[in-house]
Amino acid sequence: MSVDLATVKRVARLARIAVTEEDANRMVGELNGIINFVEQLSEVDVAGVEPMTSVTPMEMRKRTDNVTDGDKADDIVANAPTTDHNFFLVPKVVE
């Protein structure tokens, strides 16, 4: 697969990026280089290789999931003008 000048201009227009003729010509070569590199990666045999999150094997840090703040419904609605069973009451907007 390769990119031509018309494709670069179309992508720039779709992305709403102003690209001069000189920049578009330069980008053709750059984008073709990127696509060629990605095509080279597809040739690598990765059968049996597990996905990894880091180059070194490590356990992800996880914090304990403790409830530290809760059961404060009465405190939360204490300053509300009107409440009903720990819910805020507001005026009807749609009639």
Side-chain angles (χ1 to χ4, degrees), residues 30-56:
E30 290 177 3
L31 290 174
N32 281 325
I34 292 168
I35 290 172
N36 289 335
F37 179 72
V38 172
E39 287 176 350
Q40 285 179 358
L41 290 176
S42 68
E43 296 173 4
V44 177
D45 181 22
V46 293
V49 178
E50 294 183 29
M52 59 184 192
T53 58
S54 175
V55 293
T56 57

Side-chain angles (χ1 to χ4, degrees), residues 67-80:
V67 176
T68 57
D69 192 13
D71 199 26
K72 292 188 171 192
D74 293 330
D75 296 337
I76 292 170
V77 297
N79 291 330

